[in-house]
Amino acid sequence: QVHGIVRRSSSFNTGRIEHLYKNPQAHIEGNMKLHYGDLTDSTCLVKIINEVKPTEIYNLGAQSHVKISFDLAEYTADVDGIGTLRLLDAIKTCGLINSVKFYQASTSELFGKVQEIPQKETTPFYPRSPYGAAKLYAYWIVVNFREAYKLFAVNGILFNHESPRRGANFVTRKISRSVAKIHLGQLDCFSLGNLDAKRDWGHARDYVEAMWLMLQTDEPEDFVIATGEVHSVREFVEKSFKHIGKTIVWEGKNENEVGRCKETGKIHVTVNHKYYRPTEV
Protein backbone atom coordinates (compact mmCIF):
# COMPACT_ATOMS: atom_id res chain seq x y z
CA GLN A 1 0.00 0.00 0.00
CA VAL A 2 1.20 3.46 -0.89
CA HIS A 3 -0.08 6.58 0.85
CA GLY A 4 0.54 10.00 -0.60
CA ILE A 5 0.13 13.57 0.62
CA VAL A 6 -1.49 15.94 -1.85
CA ARG A 7 -1.88 19.70 -1.46
CA ARG A 8 -5.36 21.13 -1.74
CA SER A 9 -5.69 23.13 -4.92
CA SER A 10 -8.60 24.83 -6.70
CA SER A 11 -7.61 22.99 -9.88
CA PHE A 12 -6.89 19.25 -10.04
CA ASN A 13 -3.22 18.59 -9.35
CA THR A 14 -3.19 14.80 -9.76
CA GLY A 15 -2.44 14.73 -13.49
CA ARG A 16 0.85 12.86 -13.19
CA ILE A 17 -0.59 10.08 -11.00
CA GLU A 18 -4.00 9.72 -12.69
CA HIS A 19 -3.12 6.23 -14.00
CA LEU A 20 -2.49 4.95 -10.47
CA TYR A 21 -6.13 5.24 -9.41
CA LYS A 22 -8.16 2.02 -9.38
CA ASN A 23 -10.71 3.98 -11.41
CA PRO A 24 -9.06 7.10 -12.93
CA GLN A 25 -12.39 8.49 -14.21
CA ALA A 26 -14.02 8.47 -10.77
CA HIS A 27 -10.78 9.05 -8.81
CA ILE A 28 -11.44 5.85 -6.85
CA GLU A 29 -8.36 4.74 -4.93
CA GLY A 30 -6.99 1.22 -4.84
CA ASN A 31 -3.55 0.47 -3.37
CA MET A 32 -2.74 4.17 -3.54
CA LYS A 33 -4.45 6.31 -0.92
CA LEU A 34 -4.16 10.08 -0.93
CA HIS A 35 -4.42 12.38 2.10
CA TYR A 36 -4.78 16.16 2.01
CA GLY A 37 -1.75 17.67 3.70
CA ASP A 38 1.10 20.12 3.39
CA LEU A 39 4.74 20.23 4.47
CA THR A 40 4.10 23.65 6.02
CA ASP A 41 1.48 22.16 8.41
CA SER A 42 2.94 20.07 11.27
CA THR A 43 -0.47 19.07 12.66
CA CYS A 44 -1.62 17.32 9.49
CA LEU A 45 1.73 15.51 9.17
CA VAL A 46 1.40 14.11 12.71
CA LYS A 47 -2.22 13.09 12.03
CA ILE A 48 -1.43 11.34 8.73
CA ILE A 49 1.69 9.54 10.01
CA ASN A 50 -0.14 8.45 13.16
CA GLU A 51 -3.08 7.11 11.15
CA VAL A 52 -1.06 5.37 8.41
CA LYS A 53 1.86 4.12 10.58
CA PRO A 54 4.09 3.73 7.51
CA THR A 55 7.17 1.51 7.33
CA GLU A 56 8.91 3.71 4.75
CA ILE A 57 8.60 7.45 4.16
CA TYR A 58 9.94 9.11 1.02
CA ASN A 59 10.12 12.89 1.35
CA LEU A 60 9.90 14.00 -2.27
CA GLY A 61 7.89 17.13 -1.49
CA ALA A 62 9.55 20.45 -2.31
CA GLN A 63 9.41 23.71 -4.17
CA SER A 64 11.89 22.11 -6.53
CA HIS A 65 12.44 24.69 -9.27
CA VAL A 66 15.90 26.24 -8.75
CA LYS A 67 15.24 29.41 -10.78
CA ILE A 68 11.87 30.01 -9.04
CA SER A 69 13.52 29.56 -5.62
CA PHE A 70 15.17 32.97 -6.14
CA ASP A 71 11.67 34.49 -6.41
CA LEU A 72 10.07 32.35 -3.68
CA ALA A 73 13.05 32.18 -1.33
CA GLU A 74 11.18 32.19 2.01
CA TYR A 75 8.54 29.69 0.85
CA THR A 76 11.29 27.41 -0.52
CA ALA A 77 13.09 27.52 2.86
CA ASP A 78 9.85 26.74 4.70
CA VAL A 79 8.87 23.75 2.55
CA ASP A 80 12.25 22.29 1.57
CA GLY A 81 14.12 22.99 4.82
CA ILE A 82 11.72 23.22 7.77
CA GLY A 83 9.26 20.87 6.00
CA THR A 84 11.80 18.06 6.36
CA LEU A 85 12.20 18.85 10.07
CA ARG A 86 8.40 18.76 10.50
CA LEU A 87 8.27 15.28 8.94
CA LEU A 88 11.12 13.97 11.12
CA ASP A 89 9.52 15.50 14.22
CA ALA A 90 6.19 13.88 13.32
CA ILE A 91 7.88 10.46 13.16
CA LYS A 92 9.34 11.09 16.62
CA THR A 93 6.04 12.40 18.05
CA CYS A 94 4.21 9.31 16.77
CA GLY A 95 6.76 7.01 18.45
CA LEU A 96 7.85 5.46 15.14
CA ILE A 97 11.61 6.14 15.36
CA ASN A 98 12.38 2.40 15.55
CA SER A 99 9.94 1.21 12.90
CA VAL A 100 10.17 3.80 10.07
CA LYS A 101 12.81 4.11 7.37
CA PHE A 102 13.10 7.66 6.05
CA TYR A 103 14.34 8.76 2.63
CA GLN A 104 15.22 12.42 2.06
CA ALA A 105 15.33 13.68 -1.52
CA SER A 106 18.63 15.49 -1.30
CA THR A 107 20.17 17.06 -4.38
CA SER A 108 23.30 17.63 -6.45
CA GLU A 109 22.47 21.35 -6.13
CA LEU A 110 24.19 21.07 -2.70
CA PHE A 111 27.51 20.93 -4.55
CA GLY A 112 26.69 24.16 -6.42
CA LYS A 113 30.02 25.87 -6.96
CA VAL A 114 31.86 22.58 -7.05
CA GLN A 115 34.86 22.11 -4.80
CA GLU A 116 36.20 19.04 -6.62
CA ILE A 117 35.53 17.05 -9.80
CA PRO A 118 33.92 14.55 -9.79
CA GLN A 119 31.73 15.11 -6.71
CA LYS A 120 31.30 12.30 -4.22
CA GLU A 121 29.74 11.71 -0.79
CA THR A 122 32.59 13.51 0.99
CA THR A 123 32.75 16.57 -1.32
CA PRO A 124 32.19 19.84 0.62
CA PHE A 125 28.86 21.54 -0.14
CA TYR A 126 28.59 25.04 -1.65
CA PRO A 127 24.94 25.70 -2.62
CA ARG A 128 24.26 28.49 -5.14
CA SER A 129 20.51 29.08 -4.76
CA PRO A 130 17.83 29.42 -2.05
CA TYR A 131 16.73 25.93 -3.14
CA GLY A 132 20.24 24.53 -2.55
CA ALA A 133 20.55 26.32 0.80
CA ALA A 134 17.16 25.00 2.01
CA LYS A 135 18.09 21.48 0.94
CA LEU A 136 21.39 21.85 2.83
CA TYR A 137 19.46 22.42 6.08
CA ALA A 138 17.31 19.37 5.27
CA TYR A 139 20.42 17.26 4.60
CA TRP A 140 21.98 18.08 7.97
CA ILE A 141 18.76 17.74 9.99
CA VAL A 142 18.39 14.21 8.56
CA VAL A 143 21.97 13.40 9.61
CA ASN A 144 21.20 14.83 13.08
CA PHE A 145 18.09 12.67 13.57
CA ARG A 146 20.02 9.61 12.39
CA GLU A 147 22.84 10.21 14.85
CA ALA A 148 20.80 11.55 17.78
CA TYR A 149 17.86 9.11 17.73
CA LYS A 150 19.20 6.17 15.67
CA LEU A 151 16.46 6.75 13.08
CA PHE A 152 17.04 4.84 9.83
CA ALA A 153 17.30 7.97 7.70
CA VAL A 154 19.22 8.49 4.47
CA ASN A 155 19.97 11.35 2.05
CA GLY A 156 19.91 10.46 -1.63
CA ILE A 157 22.09 13.12 -3.29
CA LEU A 158 20.61 12.81 -6.75
CA PHE A 159 21.72 14.55 -9.90
CA ASN A 160 19.01 15.65 -12.36
CA HIS A 161 16.51 12.89 -13.03
CA GLU A 162 14.08 13.41 -15.88
CA SER A 163 11.08 11.72 -17.50
CA PRO A 164 7.86 12.64 -19.34
CA ARG A 165 6.36 13.30 -15.87
CA ARG A 166 8.70 16.24 -15.29
CA GLY A 167 6.94 19.63 -15.03
CA ALA A 168 6.62 21.50 -18.33
CA ASN A 169 8.60 24.53 -17.07
CA PHE A 170 11.78 22.48 -16.53
CA VAL A 171 14.27 22.80 -19.39
CA THR A 172 14.19 19.14 -20.51
CA ARG A 173 10.41 19.12 -20.97
CA LYS A 174 10.35 22.66 -22.31
CA ILE A 175 12.74 21.63 -25.09
CA SER A 176 11.12 18.27 -25.90
CA ARG A 177 7.57 19.69 -25.87
CA SER A 178 8.53 22.74 -27.96
CA VAL A 179 10.33 20.63 -30.55
CA ALA A 180 7.29 18.33 -30.77
CA LYS A 181 5.02 21.39 -31.25
CA ILE A 182 7.33 22.74 -33.98
CA HIS A 183 7.17 19.34 -35.69
CA LEU A 184 3.34 19.43 -35.55
CA GLY A 185 3.21 23.00 -36.85
CA GLN A 186 1.81 24.38 -33.58
CA LEU A 187 4.87 26.53 -32.75
CA ASP A 188 7.62 28.34 -34.64
CA CYS A 189 10.09 29.36 -31.97
CA PHE A 190 10.86 29.10 -28.24
CA SER A 191 13.21 30.87 -25.80
CA LEU A 192 15.82 29.44 -23.42
CA GLY A 193 18.32 30.80 -20.90
CA ASN A 194 21.99 29.82 -20.65
CA LEU A 195 22.62 27.42 -23.55
CA ASP A 196 26.03 26.48 -22.17
CA ALA A 197 24.75 25.37 -18.76
CA LYS A 198 25.82 21.77 -18.24
CA ARG A 199 23.92 19.08 -16.34
CA ASP A 200 24.10 15.38 -15.54
CA TRP A 201 20.69 14.10 -16.73
CA GLY A 202 19.51 10.59 -15.86
CA HIS A 203 16.14 8.83 -16.08
CA ALA A 204 13.84 9.17 -13.07
CA ARG A 205 12.85 5.49 -13.22
CA ASP A 206 16.43 4.38 -12.46
CA TYR A 207 16.80 6.99 -9.72
CA VAL A 208 13.58 5.95 -7.94
CA GLU A 209 14.87 2.38 -7.88
CA ALA A 210 18.06 3.75 -6.27
CA MET A 211 15.94 5.55 -3.63
CA TRP A 212 14.20 2.29 -2.76
CA LEU A 213 17.51 0.39 -2.67
CA MET A 214 18.92 2.91 -0.16
CA LEU A 215 16.18 1.96 2.30
CA GLN A 216 16.89 -1.77 1.86
CA THR A 217 20.49 -1.59 3.13
CA ASP A 218 21.49 -2.91 6.57
CA GLU A 219 22.82 0.45 7.77
CA PRO A 220 21.56 3.92 6.79
CA GLU A 221 24.03 5.71 4.54
CA ASP A 222 24.00 8.72 2.19
CA PHE A 223 24.68 8.16 -1.51
CA VAL A 224 25.33 10.26 -4.60
CA ILE A 225 23.40 8.99 -7.64
CA ALA A 226 24.48 10.16 -11.11
CA THR A 227 25.18 8.95 -14.62
CA GLY A 228 28.70 10.43 -14.54
CA GLU A 229 28.08 12.15 -17.90
CA VAL A 230 27.59 15.87 -18.42
CA HIS A 231 25.76 17.51 -21.34
CA SER A 232 24.93 21.12 -22.23
CA VAL A 233 21.47 22.59 -22.85
CA ARG A 234 22.75 23.41 -26.36
CA GLU A 235 23.49 19.73 -27.00
CA PHE A 236 20.06 18.76 -25.65
CA VAL A 237 18.44 21.16 -28.16
CA GLU A 238 20.51 19.80 -31.07
CA LYS A 239 19.69 16.17 -30.25
CA SER A 240 15.97 16.94 -29.87
CA PHE A 241 15.78 18.61 -33.29
CA LYS A 242 17.80 15.75 -34.85
CA HIS A 243 14.96 13.49 -33.65
CA ILE A 244 12.54 15.29 -36.02
CA GLY A 245 15.09 15.47 -38.83
CA LYS A 246 16.19 19.09 -38.36
CA THR A 247 19.76 20.38 -37.98
CA ILE A 248 20.20 23.43 -35.76
CA VAL A 249 22.91 25.95 -36.67
CA TRP A 250 23.86 28.57 -34.05
CA GLU A 251 24.36 32.21 -34.99
CA GLY A 252 25.25 35.29 -32.93
CA LYS A 253 26.51 35.56 -29.34
CA ASN A 254 25.14 35.64 -25.79
CA GLU A 255 21.61 37.12 -25.67
CA ASN A 256 21.60 37.67 -29.44
CA GLU A 257 22.30 34.02 -30.21
CA VAL A 258 19.68 32.11 -32.22
CA GLY A 259 19.24 28.54 -33.35
CA ARG A 260 18.37 28.37 -37.05
CA CYS A 261 17.12 25.31 -38.94
CA LYS A 262 19.73 24.41 -41.59
CA GLU A 263 17.08 22.83 -43.83
CA THR A 264 14.43 25.60 -43.83
CA GLY A 265 16.34 28.68 -42.64
CA LYS A 266 13.73 29.32 -39.93
CA ILE A 267 14.77 30.52 -36.47
CA HIS A 268 13.46 28.02 -33.89
CA VAL A 269 15.44 28.98 -30.75
CA THR A 270 16.18 32.36 -29.14
CA VAL A 271 17.87 33.35 -25.87
CA ASN A 272 16.07 35.36 -23.18
CA HIS A 273 17.96 36.74 -20.19
CA LYS A 274 14.96 36.28 -17.89
CA TYR A 275 15.69 32.53 -17.86
CA TYR A 276 19.26 33.04 -16.61
CA ARG A 277 19.95 32.34 -12.93
CA PRO A 278 21.66 34.92 -10.68
CA THR A 279 24.27 32.22 -9.92
CA GLU A 280 25.02 29.13 -12.01
CA VAL A 281 26.26 25.79 -10.67
Side-chain angles (χ1 to χ4, degrees):
Q1 258 199 3
V2 174
H3 290 259
I5 291 180
V6 62
R7 278 169 294 161
R8 195 269 157 186
S9 169
S10 301
S11 51
F12 272 117
N13 54 359
T14 52
R16 288 185 235 168
I17 51 171
E18 215 69 35
H19 62 292
L20 295 173
Y21 283 103
K22 191 175 177 183
N23 180 342
Q25 279 69 39
H27 278 202
I28 291 169
E29 298 166 337
N31 289 336
M32 175 187 75
K33 302 209 181 311
L34 296 180
H35 306 260
Y36 279 116
D38 200 296
L39 284 170
T40 61
D41 182 345
S42 330
T43 312
C44 76
L45 298 178
V46 171
K47 276 199 293 200
I48 295 165
I49 289 171
N50 196 46
E51 180 194 330
V52 174
K53 299 209 166 27
T55 50
E56 294 181 348
I57 292 178
Y58 294 84
N59 179 25
L60 313 181
Q63 190 302 100
S64 63
H65 200 292
V66 178
K67 169 75 171 75
I68 292 169
S69 80
F70 286 95
D71 304 318
L72 298 179
E74 183 187 334
Y75 175 73
T76 303
D78 193 14
V79 174
D80 303 14
I82 311 298
T84 306
L85 172 65
R86 291 187 187 105
L87 262 182
L88 292 166
D89 244 348
I91 292 169
K92 190 161 160 279
T93 302
C94 295
L96 298 176
I97 287 280
N98 298 320
S99 56
V100 164
K101 289 185 171 184
F102 182 85
Y103 174 86
Q104 167 62 14
S106 209
T107 169
S108 60
E109 290 287 329
L110 293 179
F111 297 126
K113 191 175 175 183
V114 300
Q115 301 300 294
E116 62 178 353
I117 297 173
Q119 294 92 62
K120 52 184 185 284
E121 287 79 3
T122 54
T123 302
F125 298 134
Y126 196 139
R128 299 266 283 173
S129 64
Y131 170 77
K135 284 284 191 176
L136 184 63
Y137 174 85
Y139 172 92
W140 284 115
I141 204 68
V142 167
V143 171
N144 271 260
F145 267 70
R146 179 168 73 212
E147 294 176 356
Y149 306 116
K150 303 291 178 277
L151 171 68
F152 191 112
V154 304
N155 285 291
I157 305 169
L158 274 51
F159 276 75
N160 295 46
H161 35 293
E162 310 292 329
S163 88
R165 294 199 210 295
R166 179 64 117 168
N169 63 344
F170 284 78
V171 73
T172 47
R173 288 269 281 145
K174 184 176 179 178
I175 295 168
S176 57
R177 279 167 59 92
S178 298
V179 169
K181 284 176 183 173
I182 287 168
H183 184 58
L184 296 170
Q186 297 171 4
L187 186 74
D188 287 328
C189 185
F190 63 98
S191 296
L192 294 170
N194 182 3
L195 293 169
D196 296 311
K198 291 184 169 67
R199 292 293 182 275
D200 180 320
W201 284 297
H203 197 295
R205 186 183 292 141
D206 301 323
Y207 285 59
V208 172
E209 186 182 352
M211 293 176 191
W212 179 78
L213 283 168
M214 280 183 229
L215 292 195
Q216 313 316 312
T217 56
D218 294 333
E219 292 294 323
E221 205 179 328
D222 304 326
F223 292 100
V224 173
I225 306 294
T227 68
E229 275 188 33
V230 83
H231 298 276
S232 67
V233 172
R234 186 186 296 277
E235 191 183 343
F236 200 117
V237 171
E238 290 166 2
K239 277 185 172 7
S240 302
F241 275 104
K242 263 282 192 294
H243 204 69
I244 61 163
K246 286 181 183 286
T247 311
I248 289 294
V249 180
W250 302 101
E251 299 169 1
K253 278 192 173 171
N254 303 324
E255 284 176 54
N256 298 316
E257 190 168 10
V258 296
R260 193 185 292 278
C261 174
K262 188 178 171 187
E263 290 76 17
T264 64
K266 280 186 182 171
I267 290 175
H268 288 316
V269 187
T270 60
V271 172
N272 188 330
H273 202 265
K274 82 169 185 179
Y275 298 121
Y276 275 72
R277 293 168 186 185
T279 45
E280 185 59 81
V281 302

